[in-house]
Amino acid sequence: MPAHWLIKSEPSVYPFSQLMQDGRTRWDGVRNFEARNNLRAMKAGDLCLYYHSVEDKAVVGVAEVVRPAYHDPTARKGEDWSVVDLKPLKPFAAPVPLADIKATRALSKLALLRRPRLSVTPVSAADFKLLLKMGRTTST
DNA sequence: GCCAACGTTGGC
DNA sequence: GCCAACGTTGGC
């Protein structure tokens, strides 16, 4: 059973469409201890909801972890940060806006709502499934 | 080890 | 563009 996560990116920095074009990317630049620890808990095959912060404020797709955590080559010398490699899986047929997530009682425990500044958060299997459904994206 | 100051994030 | 929230840093 793969675990589920939600990762955030500002679309002006690295949108999901760019991940689609690239086919694969190194998820670098995470500089928060808790987010880093979440990255380190990821396994190949885990599924990540891709959330666009700031400009879109919507979940826009699903990505898959293709390489588990390794040292972030963009970290300053001596600093201990991690990255994973991701590939795009599916764009949402209907992006799910933050406002809809907030309006959905069943999602009230979602870490995105409770820890809005954390860039890598775990998602329960049930919440993941519901968000896929809200995004009208059936299979991964 | 506490806590004030600072920087960053991200919703509004 | 503003500002609240919060993680991090550094002086004491």
Side-chain angles (χ1 to χ4, degrees), chain A residues 70-92:
Chain A
Y70 57 101
H71 180 254
D72 186 342
T74 71
R76 277 188 294 184
K77 200 165 189 240
E79 290 191 342
D80 183 25
W81 299 111
S82 293
V83 295
V84 296
D85 286 355
L86 300 174
K87 73 172 183 187
L89 223 52
K90 274 210 166 187
F92 272 12

PDB file of all heavy atoms in Angstrom, chain A residues 70-92:
ATOM      1  N   TYR A  70      17.058  11.485  -0.786  1.00  0.00           N
ATOM      2  CA  TYR A  70      18.519  11.508  -0.823  1.00  0.00           C
ATOM      3  C   TYR A  70      18.956  12.953  -0.574  1.00  0.00           C
ATOM      4  O   TYR A  70      18.124  13.866  -0.524  1.00  0.00           O
ATOM      5  CB  TYR A  70      19.073  10.961  -2.146  1.00  0.00           C
ATOM      6  CG  TYR A  70      18.586  11.647  -3.413  1.00  0.00           C
ATOM      7  CD1 TYR A  70      19.378  12.590  -4.067  1.00  0.00           C
ATOM      8  CD2 TYR A  70      17.347  11.331  -3.972  1.00  0.00           C
ATOM      9  CE1 TYR A  70      18.950  13.208  -5.243  1.00  0.00           C
ATOM     10  CE2 TYR A  70      16.910  11.940  -5.144  1.00  0.00           C
ATOM     11  CZ  TYR A  70      17.711  12.874  -5.773  1.00  0.00           C
ATOM     12  OH  TYR A  70      17.274  13.479  -6.934  1.00  0.00           O
ATOM     13  N   HIS A  71      20.247  13.152  -0.416  1.00  0.00           N
ATOM     14  CA  HIS A  71      20.753  14.470  -0.040  1.00  0.00           C
ATOM     15  C   HIS A  71      20.437  15.538  -1.089  1.00  0.00           C
ATOM     16  O   HIS A  71      20.611  15.325  -2.281  1.00  0.00           O
ATOM     17  CB  HIS A  71      22.270  14.398   0.193  1.00  0.00           C
ATOM     18  CG  HIS A  71      22.856  15.720   0.588  1.00  0.00           C
ATOM     19  ND1 HIS A  71      23.607  16.483  -0.282  1.00  0.00           N
ATOM     20  CD2 HIS A  71      22.769  16.424   1.739  1.00  0.00           C
ATOM     21  CE1 HIS A  71      23.960  17.602   0.339  1.00  0.00           C
ATOM     22  NE2 HIS A  71      23.468  17.588   1.553  1.00  0.00           N
ATOM     23  N   ASP A  72      19.975  16.679  -0.613  1.00  0.00           N
ATOM     24  CA  ASP A  72      19.644  17.795  -1.497  1.00  0.00           C
ATOM     25  C   ASP A  72      20.932  18.478  -1.971  1.00  0.00           C
ATOM     26  O   ASP A  72      21.629  19.123  -1.189  1.00  0.00           O
ATOM     27  CB  ASP A  72      18.768  18.798  -0.732  1.00  0.00           C
ATOM     28  CG  ASP A  72      18.261  19.927  -1.626  1.00  0.00           C
ATOM     29  OD1 ASP A  72      18.841  20.127  -2.729  1.00  0.00           O
ATOM     30  OD2 ASP A  72      17.301  20.605  -1.230  1.00  0.00           O
ATOM     31  N   PRO A  73      21.249  18.339  -3.266  1.00  0.00           N
ATOM     32  CA  PRO A  73      22.495  18.940  -3.764  1.00  0.00           C
ATOM     33  C   PRO A  73      22.464  20.470  -3.745  1.00  0.00           C
ATOM     34  O   PRO A  73      23.514  21.105  -3.880  1.00  0.00           O
ATOM     35  CB  PRO A  73      22.601  18.407  -5.202  1.00  0.00           C
ATOM     36  CG  PRO A  73      21.232  17.972  -5.582  1.00  0.00           C
ATOM     37  CD  PRO A  73      20.515  17.611  -4.303  1.00  0.00           C
ATOM     38  N   THR A  74      21.277  21.065  -3.549  1.00  0.00           N
ATOM     39  CA  THR A  74      21.214  22.524  -3.474  1.00  0.00           C
ATOM     40  C   THR A  74      21.394  23.026  -2.042  1.00  0.00           C
ATOM     41  O   THR A  74      21.376  24.234  -1.803  1.00  0.00           O
ATOM     42  CB  THR A  74      19.873  23.067  -4.036  1.00  0.00           C
ATOM     43  OG1 THR A  74      18.801  22.734  -3.138  1.00  0.00           O
ATOM     44  CG2 THR A  74      19.570  22.500  -5.424  1.00  0.00           C
ATOM     45  N   ALA A  75      21.554  22.117  -1.089  1.00  0.00           N
ATOM     46  CA  ALA A  75      21.758  22.525   0.306  1.00  0.00           C
ATOM     47  C   ALA A  75      23.134  23.160   0.457  1.00  0.00           C
ATOM     48  O   ALA A  75      24.084  22.776  -0.231  1.00  0.00           O
ATOM     49  CB  ALA A  75      21.632  21.320   1.232  1.00  0.00           C
ATOM     50  N   ARG A  76      23.220  24.127   1.355  1.00  0.00           N
ATOM     51  CA  ARG A  76      24.527  24.714   1.625  1.00  0.00           C
ATOM     52  C   ARG A  76      25.417  23.684   2.294  1.00  0.00           C
ATOM     53  O   ARG A  76      24.937  22.789   2.981  1.00  0.00           O
ATOM     54  CB  ARG A  76      24.385  25.954   2.521  1.00  0.00           C
ATOM     55  CG  ARG A  76      24.034  27.189   1.710  1.00  0.00           C
ATOM     56  CD  ARG A  76      24.076  28.442   2.573  1.00  0.00           C
ATOM     57  NE  ARG A  76      23.020  28.384   3.603  1.00  0.00           N
ATOM     58  CZ  ARG A  76      22.768  29.384   4.444  1.00  0.00           C
ATOM     59  NH1 ARG A  76      23.471  30.487   4.380  1.00  0.00           N
ATOM     60  NH2 ARG A  76      21.811  29.273   5.342  1.00  0.00           N
ATOM     61  N   LYS A  77      26.695  23.865   2.103  1.00  0.00           N
ATOM     62  CA  LYS A  77      27.665  22.912   2.621  1.00  0.00           C
ATOM     63  C   LYS A  77      27.439  22.645   4.112  1.00  0.00           C
ATOM     64  O   LYS A  77      27.318  23.581   4.892  1.00  0.00           O
ATOM     65  CB  LYS A  77      29.090  23.458   2.403  1.00  0.00           C
ATOM     66  CG  LYS A  77      30.149  22.391   2.462  1.00  0.00           C
ATOM     67  CD  LYS A  77      31.481  22.884   1.888  1.00  0.00           C
ATOM     68  CE  LYS A  77      32.421  21.684   1.775  1.00  0.00           C
ATOM     69  NZ  LYS A  77      33.630  21.786   2.519  1.00  0.00           N
ATOM     70  N   GLY A  78      27.373  21.376   4.470  1.00  0.00           N
ATOM     71  CA  GLY A  78      27.202  21.027   5.866  1.00  0.00           C
ATOM     72  C   GLY A  78      25.758  20.957   6.313  1.00  0.00           C
ATOM     73  O   GLY A  78      25.463  20.486   7.405  1.00  0.00           O
ATOM     74  N   GLU A  79      24.850  21.433   5.486  1.00  0.00           N
ATOM     75  CA  GLU A  79      23.440  21.388   5.867  1.00  0.00           C
ATOM     76  C   GLU A  79      22.798  20.096   5.369  1.00  0.00           C
ATOM     77  O   GLU A  79      23.142  19.576   4.319  1.00  0.00           O
ATOM     78  CB  GLU A  79      22.686  22.612   5.325  1.00  0.00           C
ATOM     79  CG  GLU A  79      23.091  23.880   6.047  1.00  0.00           C
ATOM     80  CD  GLU A  79      22.191  25.070   5.739  1.00  0.00           C
ATOM     81  OE1 GLU A  79      21.464  25.042   4.724  1.00  0.00           O
ATOM     82  OE2 GLU A  79      22.235  26.037   6.510  1.00  0.00           O
ATOM     83  N   ASP A  80      21.847  19.637   6.178  1.00  0.00           N
ATOM     84  CA  ASP A  80      21.305  18.298   5.990  1.00  0.00           C
ATOM     85  C   ASP A  80      19.851  18.354   5.512  1.00  0.00           C
ATOM     86  O   ASP A  80      18.928  18.220   6.297  1.00  0.00           O
ATOM     87  CB  ASP A  80      21.414  17.552   7.333  1.00  0.00           C
ATOM     88  CG  ASP A  80      20.948  16.107   7.226  1.00  0.00           C
ATOM     89  OD1 ASP A  80      21.002  15.555   6.122  1.00  0.00           O
ATOM     90  OD2 ASP A  80      20.536  15.544   8.258  1.00  0.00           O
ATOM     91  N   TRP A  81      19.683  18.575   4.217  1.00  0.00           N
ATOM     92  CA  TRP A  81      18.340  18.621   3.649  1.00  0.00           C
ATOM     93  C   TRP A  81      18.161  17.470   2.656  1.00  0.00           C
ATOM     94  O   TRP A  81      19.156  16.913   2.175  1.00  0.00           O
ATOM     95  CB  TRP A  81      18.081  19.964   2.955  1.00  0.00           C
ATOM     96  CG  TRP A  81      18.180  21.120   3.890  1.00  0.00           C
ATOM     97  CD1 TRP A  81      19.146  22.082   3.906  1.00  0.00           C
ATOM     98  CD2 TRP A  81      17.288  21.449   4.961  1.00  0.00           C
ATOM     99  NE1 TRP A  81      18.920  22.981   4.921  1.00  0.00           N
ATOM    100  CE2 TRP A  81      17.785  22.615   5.581  1.00  0.00           C
ATOM    101  CE3 TRP A  81      16.113  20.870   5.460  1.00  0.00           C
ATOM    102  CZ2 TRP A  81      17.153  23.218   6.671  1.00  0.00           C
ATOM    103  CZ3 TRP A  81      15.488  21.464   6.550  1.00  0.00           C
ATOM    104  CH2 TRP A  81      15.999  22.630   7.145  1.00  0.00           C
ATOM    105  N   SER A  82      16.912  17.172   2.375  1.00  0.00           N
ATOM    106  CA  SER A  82      16.625  16.011   1.518  1.00  0.00           C
ATOM    107  C   SER A  82      15.732  16.379   0.341  1.00  0.00           C
ATOM    108  O   SER A  82      14.998  17.369   0.383  1.00  0.00           O
ATOM    109  CB  SER A  82      15.927  14.921   2.334  1.00  0.00           C
ATOM    110  OG  SER A  82      16.801  14.394   3.303  1.00  0.00           O
ATOM    111  N   VAL A  83      15.819  15.558  -0.684  1.00  0.00           N
ATOM    112  CA  VAL A  83      14.931  15.672  -1.841  1.00  0.00           C
ATOM    113  C   VAL A  83      14.385  14.287  -2.178  1.00  0.00           C
ATOM    114  O   VAL A  83      14.929  13.273  -1.739  1.00  0.00           O
ATOM    115  CB  VAL A  83      15.680  16.183  -3.096  1.00  0.00           C
ATOM    116  CG1 VAL A  83      16.179  17.598  -2.885  1.00  0.00           C
ATOM    117  CG2 VAL A  83      16.834  15.258  -3.460  1.00  0.00           C
ATOM    118  N   VAL A  84      13.308  14.249  -2.944  1.00  0.00           N
ATOM    119  CA  VAL A  84      12.868  13.020  -3.597  1.00  0.00           C
ATOM    120  C   VAL A  84      12.728  13.337  -5.085  1.00  0.00           C
ATOM    121  O   VAL A  84      12.702  14.507  -5.469  1.00  0.00           O
ATOM    122  CB  VAL A  84      11.511  12.500  -3.057  1.00  0.00           C
ATOM    123  CG1 VAL A  84      11.614  12.116  -1.589  1.00  0.00           C
ATOM    124  CG2 VAL A  84      10.402  13.520  -3.284  1.00  0.00           C
ATOM    125  N   ASP A  85      12.668  12.289  -5.915  1.00  0.00           N
ATOM    126  CA  ASP A  85      12.350  12.488  -7.329  1.00  0.00           C
ATOM    127  C   ASP A  85      10.895  12.118  -7.556  1.00  0.00           C
ATOM    128  O   ASP A  85      10.389  11.156  -6.981  1.00  0.00           O
ATOM    129  CB  ASP A  85      13.244  11.610  -8.219  1.00  0.00           C
ATOM    130  CG  ASP A  85      14.669  12.146  -8.310  1.00  0.00           C
ATOM    131  OD1 ASP A  85      14.934  13.240  -7.770  1.00  0.00           O
ATOM    132  OD2 ASP A  85      15.513  11.466  -8.910  1.00  0.00           O
ATOM    133  N   LEU A  86      10.240  12.915  -8.400  1.00  0.00           N
ATOM    134  CA  LEU A  86       8.820  12.724  -8.688  1.00  0.00           C
ATOM    135  C   LEU A  86       8.589  12.618 -10.178  1.00  0.00           C
ATOM    136  O   LEU A  86       9.344  13.184 -10.972  1.00  0.00           O
ATOM    137  CB  LEU A  86       8.017  13.941  -8.215  1.00  0.00           C
ATOM    138  CG  LEU A  86       8.031  14.328  -6.746  1.00  0.00           C
ATOM    139  CD1 LEU A  86       7.278  15.643  -6.583  1.00  0.00           C
ATOM    140  CD2 LEU A  86       7.402  13.237  -5.910  1.00  0.00           C
ATOM    141  N   LYS A  87       7.531  11.917 -10.530  1.00  0.00           N
ATOM    142  CA  LYS A  87       7.045  11.985 -11.909  1.00  0.00           C
ATOM    143  C   LYS A  87       5.556  12.306 -11.875  1.00  0.00           C
ATOM    144  O   LYS A  87       4.868  11.967 -10.911  1.00  0.00           O
ATOM    145  CB  LYS A  87       7.311  10.675 -12.648  1.00  0.00           C
ATOM    146  CG  LYS A  87       6.418   9.530 -12.231  1.00  0.00           C
ATOM    147  CD  LYS A  87       6.613   8.317 -13.143  1.00  0.00           C
ATOM    148  CE  LYS A  87       5.639   7.198 -12.747  1.00  0.00           C
ATOM    149  NZ  LYS A  87       5.882   5.953 -13.459  1.00  0.00           N
ATOM    150  N   PRO A  88       5.057  12.979 -12.911  1.00  0.00           N
ATOM    151  CA  PRO A  88       3.633  13.304 -12.945  1.00  0.00           C
ATOM    152  C   PRO A  88       2.841  12.043 -13.225  1.00  0.00           C
ATOM    153  O   PRO A  88       3.296  11.173 -13.960  1.00  0.00           O
ATOM    154  CB  PRO A  88       3.522  14.286 -14.112  1.00  0.00           C
ATOM    155  CG  PRO A  88       4.648  13.918 -15.015  1.00  0.00           C
ATOM    156  CD  PRO A  88       5.758  13.432 -14.117  1.00  0.00           C
ATOM    157  N   LEU A  89       1.671  11.959 -12.625  1.00  0.00           N
ATOM    158  CA  LEU A  89       0.816  10.807 -12.883  1.00  0.00           C
ATOM    159  C   LEU A  89      -0.417  11.245 -13.653  1.00  0.00           C
ATOM    160  O   LEU A  89      -0.673  10.765 -14.741  1.00  0.00           O
ATOM    161  CB  LEU A  89       0.425  10.168 -11.549  1.00  0.00           C
ATOM    162  CG  LEU A  89       0.466   8.650 -11.495  1.00  0.00           C
ATOM    163  CD1 LEU A  89       1.809   8.132 -11.986  1.00  0.00           C
ATOM    164  CD2 LEU A  89       0.217   8.181 -10.071  1.00  0.00           C
ATOM    165  N   LYS A  90      -1.181  12.171 -13.052  1.00  0.00           N
ATOM    166  CA  LYS A  90      -2.403  12.626 -13.708  1.00  0.00           C
ATOM    167  C   LYS A  90      -2.741  14.035 -13.303  1.00  0.00           C
ATOM    168  O   LYS A  90      -2.750  14.348 -12.109  1.00  0.00           O
ATOM    169  CB  LYS A  90      -3.577  11.734 -13.286  1.00  0.00           C
ATOM    170  CG  LYS A  90      -3.745  10.492 -14.097  1.00  0.00           C
ATOM    171  CD  LYS A  90      -5.213  10.094 -14.137  1.00  0.00           C
ATOM    172  CE  LYS A  90      -5.466   9.053 -15.218  1.00  0.00           C
ATOM    173  NZ  LYS A  90      -6.892   8.771 -15.391  1.00  0.00           N
ATOM    174  N   PRO A  91      -3.050  14.893 -14.274  1.00  0.00           N
ATOM    175  CA  PRO A  91      -3.644  16.183 -13.910  1.00  0.00           C
ATOM    176  C   PRO A  91      -5.094  15.944 -13.518  1.00  0.00           C
ATOM    177  O   PRO A  91      -5.732  15.032 -14.048  1.00  0.00           O
ATOM    178  CB  PRO A  91      -3.552  16.998 -15.195  1.00  0.00           C
ATOM    179  CG  PRO A  91      -3.469  15.993 -16.298  1.00  0.00           C
ATOM    180  CD  PRO A  91      -2.897  14.727 -15.723  1.00  0.00           C
ATOM    181  N   PHE A  92      -5.615  16.741 -12.588  1.00  0.00           N
ATOM    182  CA  PHE A  92      -7.031  16.649 -12.239  1.00  0.00           C
ATOM    183  C   PHE A  92      -7.872  17.130 -13.418  1.00  0.00           C
ATOM    184  O   PHE A  92      -7.563  18.153 -14.034  1.00  0.00           O
ATOM    185  CB  PHE A  92      -7.338  17.520 -11.023  1.00  0.00           C
ATOM    186  CG  PHE A  92      -7.140  16.820  -9.700  1.00  0.00           C
ATOM    187  CD1 PHE A  92      -6.478  15.600  -9.624  1.00  0.00           C
ATOM    188  CD2 PHE A  92      -7.627  17.392  -8.528  1.00  0.00           C
ATOM    189  CE1 PHE A  92      -6.303  14.959  -8.401  1.00  0.00           C
ATOM    190  CE2 PHE A  92      -7.446  16.755  -7.300  1.00  0.00           C
ATOM    191  CZ  PHE A  92      -6.794  15.540  -7.238  1.00  0.00           C
TER     192      PHE A  92
END
